[in-house]
Amino acid sequence: MQSGYTCLRCLSGLRSVSSSSIRLQRSSPTLKRRWISSSLPRSPESSSREPNAFQKRASSSLGSQSQHVKNEPPESLIPGGRASTPPPKAPERVLLQPNNLFHSFSKSPSPEIRRRAAYIKQHAYCPHPNHQRTRIPTSHDLEARKTSGETGLAPAHVQYECPDCGIPVYCSEEHWADDYESHLEICDTLREINEDDHDLRSGRFFPEFEYPGPQIEEALVNMTNWDTFLYTRDFTAINDPRSLRQATRLLTYPVTIGSVLNELSPYNIRRGGRLTTEGLKSLSALRYTLHPPRSGAGMDIKGLRPSPPPARIFILGARAESSLPREVWIQLSHMFPLATFHLIFIGPESMTNRDSEFPLPERTPRNPFGAIVEDRLSHQMKISTYVEYYHTLHHAGLFHPYDPYFDCFVLFHPGLGHPASMHEWEDTLPQLLETKVPIICTGYTQWDMERDQKWVEEKVGGEVDLLMEAGENRFRSLRWDLNDLDPGDLSCGNWGIWAFRGKRYETTRRDVG
């Protein structure tokens, strides 16, 4: 192995070399070629700088001892480093600046948004009242304005993009102008959706998606609203409203659960707190488990203590929430430093956006329903996914027995009263009420939430105890979403929240005289 070090005796011998041989070696083209071959590959840009680069490397490698380096064998010379290395080329990518986020969907720089615009134009219908109805209208639907008979215009797909919001909303410019007052009610929100979608694809760095680590037990979390929660959880300061909307779009799922189960929950039995007396009973049992007292446990033999089982949270009808980054769900465990969780996603669509995890595990006697188990996420959390209906698992007794101190059901936007999905819940609802554990439901809008609650009351009547009155969720997503099948239908993730459980009957003893 050759070394770049020369001893003093050899240096004295090198000094006796004639100056003519030194000049000859400096001007030798062979030396230049060997020098360049020991560094990066040649390029047209670097070839024009070869003489200057050689002199700079020869003079900057050892400073005042450069005359000694000239007489060493060419193979022992060391490349000069940053001065001789061409700057790396930055990867080319489309970067949208904050003041350049508005683009019409059909002319967007993002191919994904252009495909979405084509999908909207192919499936969404013009909401102008002169058209005939395409479906049975609901109470808050623009479809109710259309003529019910065959006297109106035939249904037409949306083709015209509003210049103010950039989203296809009407079939023609004439219908857009004629119905502009109605469109103006949602135009600003549609423009906000447009810019938020382009912001996600702008190529910028997203500091709002960096999450803090565990919470020390002495630092309590303030759950008054999003601002106090993010501050007391030591999130990076989010001063831009758009960045806050992007952050809450993901965090709304774990924080919504934590805001109900935490002992510092903003929902209580005071006036306006929305929690009922039965709700206080059920949630107090869960909070007793999630906030255990100090037991004196330690790392040594004397500190050994029995650990309670993890709290099981069954998320039924799971869809996109099952594919959230696991760092998002771990935020739930950080809100309860002394508790452990087992999240169980159940539903036929629970593997949405999780194509990398296919194929599913084989169904074996030890894993009869092909569950996907993630048990190395954290020492506080384990996640299991079942691509199956809950009533099938309930009949098999897979999760029996249920304990109101350790179990809880969560239904994110279940669509209990939606005409297209209510039949899927008819078998599941009686089984949920059998467990007598809390059932937390959310809704996209107030109307969606009230429709679900009305359907539950019609189906089971007096067999339900209301735990929390329906109302707006303090930790809803601040970002609005667009329905591609109806651009006029705007929704918000976890906008509202309410809770119920199967009715409990308390027996009393009566003496018969």
Side-chain angles (χ1 to χ4, degrees):
M1 180 176 180
Q2 295 180 348
S3 172
Y5 175 78
T6 306
C7 66
L8 294 177
R9 183 173 297 179
C10 294
L11 286 176
S12 62
L14 290 174
R15 291 193 184 97
S16 63
V17 180
S18 61
S19 59
S20 59
S21 61
I22 298 176
R23 288 194 298 270
L24 179 61
Q25 190 169 358
R26 291 185 61 183
S27 61
S28 173
T30 306
L31 176 59
K32 290 184 180 181
R33 286 195 296 271
R34 290 185 179 181
W35 182 280
I36 296 173
S37 63
S38 63
S39 59
L40 296 175
R42 300 184 61 179
S43 63
E45 298 179 358
S46 61
S47 61
S48 62
R49 299 194 297 267
E50 285 176 5
N52 294 335
F54 172 77
Q55 296 173 3
K56 189 178 297 183
R57 284 192 288 267
S59 61
S60 63
S61 298
L62 293 177
S64 61
Q65 300 180 8
S66 60
Q67 67 272 19
H68 308 148
V69 180
K70 299 170 188 174
N71 294 278
E72 290 185 7
E75 290 80 9
S76 65
L77 297 177
I78 303 173
R82 183 183 301 178
S84 61
T85 304
K89 293 184 179 180
E92 297 182 359
R93 61 177 181 176
V94 178
L95 182 64
L96 299 178
Q97 299 299 327
N99 58 354
N100 188 32
L101 293 177
F102 175 73
H103 299 273
S104 65
F105 267 30
S106 61
K107 299 179 180 178
S108 170
S110 170
E112 184 179 351
I113 295 182
R114 292 198 299 270
R115 289 193 296 269
R116 187 180 184 186
Y119 181 87
I120 294 175
K121 292 181 179 181
Q122 186 178 1
H123 294 86
Y125 288 96
C126 177
H128 194 276
N130 288 347
H131 288 287
Q132 299 175 7
R133 293 178 180 177
T134 58
R135 62 180 184 273
I136 300 177
T138 55
S139 58
H140 73 299
D141 196 353
L142 294 178
E143 199 76 10
R145 306 183 307 162
K146 297 182 179 181
T147 57
S148 58
E150 299 180 357
T151 57
L153 300 176
H157 290 287
V158 295
Q159 297 294 332
Y160 180 74
E161 292 181 343
C162 171
D164 297 327
C165 63
I167 296 177
V169 286
Y170 285 90
C171 64
S172 63
E173 184 177 1
E174 290 76 12
H175 279 188
W176 168 78
D178 185 55
D179 201 33
Y180 183 71
E181 290 186 3
S182 176
H183 173 68
L184 196 61
E185 298 177 359
I186 60 174
C187 188
D188 291 340
T189 306
L190 289 175
R191 184 184 179 97
E192 183 180 286
I193 295 173
N194 185 327
E195 295 179 353
D196 289 347
D197 284 344
H198 281 95
D199 178 55
L200 284 178
R201 298 160 179 85
S202 65
R204 71 174 178 91
F205 177 69
F206 292 87
E208 59 267 31
F209 293 148
E210 292 184 346
Y211 304 114
Q215 185 90 351
I216 61 175
E217 188 179 359
E218 291 76 12
L220 300 180
V221 180
N222 189 325
M223 294 190 175
T224 304
N225 51 44
W226 275 117
D227 292 333
T228 59
F229 172 79
L230 296 176
Y231 177 77
T232 54
R233 273 291 291 125
D234 201 21
F235 275 78
T236 303
I238 303 177
N239 300 318
D240 182 24
R242 178 171 291 111
S243 298
L244 184 60
R245 292 196 295 269
Q246 307 288 21
T248 58
R249 183 66 182 88
L250 302 183
L251 289 173
T252 179
Y253 292 97
V255 179
T256 294
I257 298 176
S259 65
V260 177
L261 303 184
N262 199 283
E263 63 181 359
L264 300 177
S265 170
Y267 309 109
N268 49 58
I269 60 173
R270 300 172 185 170
R271 179 176 298 179
R274 295 169 47 192
L275 199 65
T276 64
T277 305
E278 293 297 325
L280 181 62
K281 295 178 182 179
S282 291
L283 295 182
S284 296
L286 279 169
R287 291 168 183 173
Y288 179 82
T289 302
L290 299 176
H291 299 278
R294 285 283 187 179
S295 61
M299 301 299 294
D300 54 358
I301 298 297
K302 295 182 179 180
L304 292 179
R305 299 290 186 277
S307 300
R312 299 188 301 179
I313 299 180
F314 300 91
I315 302 177
L316 306 188
R319 295 186 294 274
E321 58 268 20
S322 66
S323 64
L324 287 178
R326 295 317 184 218
E327 294 81 1
V328 176
W329 281 113
I330 289 177
Q331 294 301 309
L332 175 63
S333 63
H334 293 337
M335 300 167 62
F336 303 89
L338 301 179
T340 56
F341 290 92
H342 184 191
L343 301 185
I344 305 174
F345 296 108
I346 302 175
E349 300 178 72
S350 57
M351 290 299 294
T352 303
N353 300 328
R354 296 171 64 178
D355 297 339
S356 60
E357 301 180 46
F358 282 95
L360 298 177
E362 295 183 3
R363 302 198 174 197
T364 62
R366 297 188 61 183
N367 189 10
F369 293 97
I372 300 174
V373 181
E374 304 168 65
D375 56 356
R376 298 187 179 183
L377 301 174
S378 167
H379 69 282
Q380 288 184 271
M381 179 168 288
K382 171 184 174 182
I383 296 180
S384 301
T385 305
Y386 293 85
V387 187
E388 189 60 83
Y389 285 103
Y390 171 77
H391 55 260
T392 303
L393 305 177
H394 184 88
H395 283 309
L398 186 62
F399 303 115
H400 281 77
Y402 296 92
D403 192 332
Y405 281 82
F406 292 95
D407 297 334
C408 175
F409 289 97
V410 180
L411 283 62
F412 290 117
H413 322 113
L416 299 175
H418 195 280
S421 58
M422 63 172 62
H423 66 280
E424 298 179 349
W425 294 101
E426 289 184 355
D427 294 336
T428 302
L429 182 61
Q431 298 169 356
L432 293 179
L433 301 180
E434 269 181 33
T435 62
K436 309 298 183 182
V437 300
I439 305 168
I440 302 172
C441 286
T442 66
Y444 285 116
T445 61
Q446 181 176 1
W447 183 85
D448 178 46
M449 180 178 53
E450 292 175 351
R451 180 182 60 185
D452 291 349
Q453 184 177 2
K454 181 180 179 181
W455 181 83
V456 171
E457 293 174 352
E458 291 177 353
K459 287 294 179 181
V460 294
E463 296 299 320
V464 172
D465 282 332
L466 187 64
L467 305 184
M468 181 189 300
E469 298 174 357
E472 184 175 357
N473 179 14
R474 294 200 182 195
F475 293 96
R476 68 175 181 88
S477 170
L478 300 181
R479 178 183 167 180
W480 290 92
D481 297 317
L482 176 68
N483 183 1
D484 292 347
L485 300 177
D486 183 7
D489 181 19
L490 305 182
S491 60
C492 182
N494 298 326
W495 183 91
I497 187 171
W498 63 293
F500 65 98
R501 68 142 201 255
K503 193 173 187 63
R504 290 182 180 175
Y505 294 93
E506 297 183 2
T507 59
T508 57
R509 190 170 185 176
R510 187 178 62 178
D511 296 332
V512 180

